[in-house]
Amino acid sequence: MAQESPKHPAAEIPVTSNGEVDDTHEHGYHRDLKRSLPSGLGLSETQMTSHGFDSATEGVVEAGAHGGGQRTQTKSGPVILADEIKNPAMEKLELVRKWSLNTYKCTRQIISEKLGRGSRTVDLELEAQIDILRDNKKKYENILKLAQTLSTQLFQMVHTQRQLGDAFADLSLKSLELHEEFGYNADTQKLLAKNGETLLGAINFFIASVNTLVNKTIEDTLMTVKQYENARIEYDAYRTDLEELNLGPRDANTLPKIEQSQQLFQAHKEKYDKMRNDVSIKLKFLEENKVKVLHNQLVLFHNAIAAYFAGNQKQLEQTLKQFHIKLKTPGGDAPSWLEEQ
C-alpha cells in the first residue's frame, strides 16, 4: 500500500481510457475532436477530466465560457441553429396564413352581399360617377368601332378612285375621239382620291386620339376604381368581423381578439378612405381631359367631313393644318398619342 501512494496521473490512463495504452494519441484525438465540434455538441466535462489534468482544465474553461455546464450547452446550441433555419420558412407561412385569412373574409363578404344578407358601404355620389364612366366607355368604344369601319371603307373607296383615274387617263391617251372626256373624268377621280386621302388622315387622327382616351386614359382610371372596390370589400369584411365580435361576450379570451380586430379594421378603413380619395381625384382630372380632347377631335371630324363633301379642297387642307396633322403614305401607322390642346 505504501508503494501505490505516489501514483502519477498518467498511471490512471490504462484504466479510464477504454483500454488504450498510448496517452499521446488518445489525448490529441480528444483535443482535436473537442475543437472541431460545436459548443453545444462537445465532449462532456467528465470525459475531459478522465484524460488528465490538462484535458480537465481545458474542459472546465470551455464549459465555463458558455455559462456553466454541459446541460446548458446542449440545450442552447440546437435552438440557435433551428432559429436561423426556420425563420424564413416561418415568415412565409405567416404571409400565407394572413393571405388565406384575408381571402376567406373577402369571399365571405362577397357571397353575403350577393345573397342579400350582408351590408355594404356605399358612396352614392362616387358610385354614380363610376357608373356614368363605364357607360360612357361603352359608347366611346362603339364610336371608335364605327369610325374604324368608316376609315376602312374610305380607304377602299380612295384606292378604287385612284385606279379608276389611272384607267381614264390611259384611255384618254389611246382614244383620240374621247380624249377630253376621258381626261376630265381622270382628273376628277384623281382629285377625289387626293381629297379622300386628306380626309382619311383626319379620320385616322380622330381614331388614334379617341383610342388613346378610351383604352389608356379611361382604362387607367377604371383600374384605380377596381382597386377602390377591392379596398371597399376588405373594409366591409373586417367591419362585419368586428361587429360580430362586439356582439359576443367580453372576457379575458375575447378582449385580445376584439383589440386585434379593431386594429385591422382601422388599417383597412384608412386604405379604403385613401382609395376613395384617389378615385375622386382621377375622375375629376379625367373629366377635364376628356372634354378638352373630345372637343378638339369632334371639331376636326366635323370640319373635315363637311369640307370633303362640299368639295372645298382648301378648307379641307386648312383643317389638317389647324390640327397639325401630317399626311402619311398609304398603309403608314397613324399617330397614337393623345392630343393635349
Side-chain angles (χ1 to χ4, degrees):
M1 296 296 294
Q3 293 178 356
E4 293 179 359
S5 58
K7 286 185 179 180
H8 193 274
E12 298 179 3
I13 293 175
V15 179
T16 59
S17 59
N18 296 325
E20 295 291 337
V21 179
D22 191 356
D23 175 61
T24 305
H25 296 289
E26 178 68 15
H27 177 70
Y29 169 77
H30 284 282
R31 182 175 54 191
D32 294 339
L33 179 60
K34 175 185 173 298
R35 291 177 178 174
S36 62
L37 291 175
S39 60
L41 301 177
L43 297 176
S44 66
E45 185 177 352
T46 305
Q47 291 173 326
M48 298 302 296
T49 307
S50 66
H51 299 292
F53 292 108
D54 295 337
S55 298
T57 305
E58 188 175 350
V60 172
V61 172
E62 184 69 20
H66 292 278
Q70 178 195 2
R71 188 174 183 180
T72 305
Q73 292 175 350
T74 305
K75 185 176 180 180
S76 61
V79 173
I80 297 175
L81 293 174
D83 289 343
E84 293 177 355
I85 295 174
K86 292 183 179 179
N87 267 340
M90 293 300 294
E91 290 177 0
K92 291 181 181 179
L93 287 175
E94 183 66 17
L95 290 176
V96 172
R97 188 189 69 82
K98 290 181 179 179
W99 175 84
S100 301
L101 182 61
N102 185 73
T103 303
Y104 164 74
K105 290 179 180 293
C106 293
T107 304
R108 184 183 63 176
Q109 177 66 24
I110 293 173
I111 295 175
S112 178
E113 291 177 3
K114 289 184 177 180
L115 295 177
R117 298 176 181 175
S119 61
R120 65 188 299 264
T121 304
V122 179
D123 188 325
L124 295 177
E125 182 179 356
L126 189 60
E127 293 289 339
Q129 294 178 4
I130 293 174
D131 290 340
I132 292 174
L133 175 62
R134 285 174 172 157
D135 185 60
N136 286 340
K137 184 175 183 290
K138 293 180 180 179
K139 294 178 179 179
Y140 295 153
E141 287 174 340
N142 184 49
I143 290 177
L144 186 60
K145 182 179 179 181
L146 294 175
Q148 290 171 341
T149 302
L150 177 62
S151 176
T152 301
Q153 294 173 348
L154 180 60
F155 175 80
Q156 294 295 333
M157 186 182 73
V158 169
H159 180 67
T160 302
Q161 288 175 337
R162 191 182 298 108
Q163 289 181 329
L164 189 59
D166 293 339
F168 283 147
D170 183 60
L171 289 173
S172 174
L173 296 176
K174 296 180 179 179
S175 301
L176 297 179
E177 63 278 6
L178 296 175
H179 171 74
E180 292 184 359
E181 288 79 359
F182 279 124
Y184 294 153
N185 280 278
D187 293 340
T188 301
Q189 292 300 320
K190 290 180 179 179
L191 179 61
L192 289 174
K194 181 180 179 182
N195 291 341
E197 291 176 355
T198 305
L199 176 62
L200 190 62
I203 293 176
N204 286 338
F205 185 79
F206 172 83
I207 290 173
S209 299
V210 175
N211 180 67
T212 302
L213 175 65
V214 173
N215 294 321
K216 291 185 179 180
T217 309
I218 294 180
E219 188 63 28
D220 177 71
T221 303
L222 289 177
M223 287 295 294
T224 306
V225 170
K226 183 64 177 178
Q227 295 173 0
Y228 157 74
E229 292 175 343
N230 291 337
R232 197 276 306 166
I233 293 174
E234 291 180 350
Y235 165 70
D236 282 338
Y238 283 90
R239 175 183 56 80
T240 302
D241 191 41
L242 179 61
E243 290 175 353
E244 292 176 355
L245 288 174
N246 286 329
L247 292 175
R250 291 175 174 268
D251 51 31
N253 293 328
T254 59
L255 285 178
K257 295 181 180 180
I258 294 176
E259 183 179 355
Q260 182 182 12
S261 180
Q262 179 68 37
Q263 294 175 356
L264 293 173
F265 165 74
Q266 189 63 32
H268 285 86
K269 183 179 185 300
E270 293 175 359
K271 179 181 178 181
Y272 167 72
D273 292 338
K274 179 181 180 299
M275 293 305 306
R276 180 174 58 182
N277 184 56
D278 291 346
V279 170
S280 299
I281 294 174
K282 278 204 170 186
L283 287 174
K284 179 181 178 181
F285 286 141
L286 174 63
E287 185 66 23
E288 295 176 356
N289 191 34
K290 181 192 71 174
V291 171
K292 186 183 298 184
V293 170
L294 287 181
H295 169 77
N296 291 336
Q297 296 305 316
L298 291 172
V299 170
L300 163 67
F301 191 84
H302 171 267
N303 292 347
I305 292 289
Y308 172 79
F309 284 101
N312 192 338
Q313 182 181 2
K314 286 186 176 181
Q315 182 63 33
L316 184 59
E317 293 176 350
Q318 185 63 32
T319 299
L320 266 67
K321 290 180 180 179
Q322 178 183 354
F323 290 93
H324 308 287
I325 301 174
K326 295 182 179 180
L327 294 178
K328 294 182 177 293
T329 57
D333 295 331
S336 59
W337 51 276
L338 184 61
E339 183 184 20
E340 298 179 356
Q341 293 183 351

